Amino acid sequence: MTTPDELASVRYIVDDVAAAVHFYTTHLGFTLHTHSAPAFADVVRGPLRLLLSGPASSGARATPDDATAPGRNRIHLLVHDLDTEVGQLRAAGLSFRSDVITGPGGRQILLSDPAGNLIELFEPAPR
């Protein structure tokens, strides 16, 4: 098990490691941690380490053939002003997979990375 001061890691299988690194570092505030393209890179934002595994990586090769499509799981990133974030990302040419949805806990929208993996941008409701 990890200790509380270690990063939590999530693996995303991507088609193009360099494109994924550019997407996460340019648009979502991640910093590059390790870069072994074209096989692998990892980026970090706060306590989240996102493992970006290209087709040549061991992580991608271990994935069963029937699990090649992106899943319904997603990383969840908190934002302070969802409308501003959405406006900036749209201005950068990114498109979204959903409209803004409002619920009792806050507002959210889904974005996808270049490989189709989902990212949820979430603005908590005022308390």
Side-chain angles (χ1 to χ4, degrees):
M1 288 293 182
T2 60
T3 60
D5 61 332
E6 292 184 48
L7 299 173
S9 298
V10 173
R11 183 181 310 278
Y12 270 175
I13 307 301
V14 300
D15 302 34
D16 182 331
V17 172
V21 166
H22 175 77
F23 175 83
Y24 286 99
T25 59
T26 301
H27 302 295
L28 297 177
F30 282 80
T31 57
L32 182 63
H33 184 256
T34 306
H35 196 274
S36 299
F40 174 82
D42 62 339
V43 293
V44 175
R45 177 179 163 169
L48 173 61
R49 177 177 171 232
L50 188 56
L51 311 172
L52 303 169
S53 296
S57 71
S58 59
R61 290 193 319 263
T63 304
D65 288 337
D66 63 352
T68 57
R72 293 176 50 123
N73 297 316
R74 55 193 178 242
I75 60 171
H76 174 95
L77 301 177
L78 293 177
V79 298
H80 296 289
D81 183 343
L82 186 61
D83 295 324
T84 298
E85 292 285 337
V86 168
Q88 290 173 343
L89 295 170
R90 281 199 171 119
L94 303 181
S95 57
F96 291 83
R97 297 283 306 271
S98 73
D99 293 323
V100 173
I101 304 296
T102 302
R107 302 168 61 230
Q108 63 184 280
I109 192 167
L110 295 179
L111 175 68
S112 60
D113 73 8
N117 296 299
L118 295 174
I119 300 103
E120 177 182 324
L121 303 178
F122 182 80
E123 177 185 350
R127 299 202 183 259

